[in-house]
Amino acid sequence: MKLTAFAAAAAAFLMFGPSQAMAGRDLDQIRARGQLLCGVQGPSNPGFGFPNAQGQWQGFNVEVCRSVAITIFGDPNRVQFVPVTTQSRFPALSSGEVDILSNNSTWTLTRDSNVNRFNFPAIVFYDGQSMMVPRRLNVTSARQLDGATVCVQPGTTTELNLADYFRQHNMRFTPVVVADLDELRRAYDSGRCDVFTNDFAALAAQRTLLSRPADHVILPERISKEPLGPVVRQGDEELTNIVAWTVFALIEAEELGITQANVEQIAGSSTNPIVRRFLGVEGNMGESINAARADYARQIIRTFGNYGEIYERWLGERTPLGLERGQNRTWLNGGLLYAPPAR
């Protein structure tokens, strides 16, 4: 029986494997430029992305971008950080002002579809929208907010979720709409509105910047699902793959118990074939995604640690944000984080 052309091609693929990965248009431009342009929430987002006293960007989302730079270039410093707002972020990505967003953007159908033509390679943080109120109001539930004035940013999933929640529960509210996040926070802090709504983690970050943080409480309800992750333009699957497998490397390292402190010892002594492939000791998984190095994952972990280490460094219970891991634990510990197998 003769093989069809399709079957013959499939047989050749299985016998010889894929040809060497070819870079896509966006990835070619990034490499030619010698720098990744990373959009982060500006002027700062405590814990996630903010400039230090020397003007150097740091935080959870910043280290995700620097990890992507390691995968592309083998160098975490080949990144230029571009502050963007909730209104300017997607136009900046569409126009090429930035190559990637790493600024707590929610993965939604319209953003991911032909409407906006963006790719969300992986989820780095599971969140949900919440409400923050002054403690003096003695409010313990969002269901007590009928008639409240609410500070909210326009043109966001936050604004739509807010309207949906109040409509669902037959409650009224008056929006105080301010585009700039810093101005919105100041409006809430000055008493212009009763409620400040945003993702839970974003509220925890903004609370640290209030004049009296301890005087404000985040209510227990999560009124939406907010899967947050880096965003790239559609049309370059190679760049999408690089971003995805960079995030998965951080997660898988935690799954495997590989940390910044032990990665070199494990790379030199482990006989586990899964670990050896993951750390680039044998095989070349990096070639499959057009990474700069076979041991890209090992270099990322050596530089920043695994997902859990980055989380605890910038967002965890010992930081000003004080966030529990919750659903951002790995699946092995009852959370939602799960990395596909690197093989």
Side-chain angles (χ1 to χ4, degrees), residues 39 41 45 48-49 60-61 86 89 101-106 111 124-125 127 198-199 201-202 205 226-231:
Q41 189 167 351
N45 187 18
F48 288 95
F60 180 89
N61 289 334
T86 54
R89 55 184 165 167
L101 295 176
S102 187
N103 70 333
N104 293 6
S105 293
T106 302
R111 290 173 178 175
V124 297
F125 194 90
D127 207 347
N198 209 315
D199 297 346
E226 304 295 330
L228 310 177
V231 194

Side-chain angles (χ1 to χ4, degrees), residues 3 32 83 93 122 178 207 209 227 239 242 275-276 279 296 313 339:
L3 288 173
L93 182 59
V178 180
R207 182 168 57 180
L209 301 175
L239 179 59
I242 277 181
V275 171
R276 291 175 65 82
L279 294 179
Y296 74 97
R313 180 158 57 246

Side-chain angles (χ1 to χ4, degrees), residues 33-55:
R33 187 193 308 125
Q35 198 172 47
L36 177 69
L37 302 178
C38 180
V40 290
Q41 189 167 351
S44 86
N45 187 18
F48 288 95
F50 57 99
N52 63 16
Q54 290 73 44

Side-chain angles (χ1 to χ4, degrees), residues 142-148 161-174:
R143 296 292 296 275
Q144 298 173 263
L145 296 176
D146 189 20
N161 294 334
L162 174 67
D164 285 349
Y165 181 80
F166 275 78
R167 179 181 177 186
Q168 175 188 356
H169 295 290
N170 197 29
M171 298 191 304
R172 298 171 298 102
F173 75 99
T174 301

Side-chain angles (χ1 to χ4, degrees), residues 126 251 254-255 307-308 311-312 317 324-338:
Y126 290 91
I251 296 169
E254 185 173 10
E255 292 178 358
Y307 178 95
Y311 186 103
E312 294 303 330
E317 295 184 66
E324 297 179 355
R325 282 289 295 273
Q327 56 197 351
N328 291 298
R329 298 187 183 98
T330 68
W331 66 284
L332 295 170
N333 294 306
L336 298 177
L337 292 181
Y338 189 105

Side-chain angles (χ1 to χ4, degrees), residues 238-310:
E238 286 73 24
L239 179 59
T240 297
N241 288 340
I242 277 181
V243 176
W245 287 96
T246 296
V247 173
F248 295 148
L250 294 169
I251 296 169
E252 181 149 355
E254 185 173 10
E255 292 178 358
L256 294 172
I258 301 172
T259 68
Q260 189 174 32
N262 68 21
V263 61
E264 292 303 323
Q265 181 269 322
I266 289 177
S269 63
S270 178
T271 59
N272 183 335
I274 295 173
V275 171
R276 291 175 65 82
R277 283 195 301 269
F278 175 65
L279 294 179
V281 177
E282 63 181 51
N284 191 349
M285 291 294 100
E287 185 178 40
S288 300
I289 60 168
N290 213 355
R293 302 169 53 128
D295 65 345
Y296 74 97
R298 178 176 173 181
Q299 189 180 10
I300 289 169
I301 306 313
R302 183 170 61 231
T303 306
F304 297 116
N306 62 38
Y307 178 95
E309 291 177 285
I310 296 174

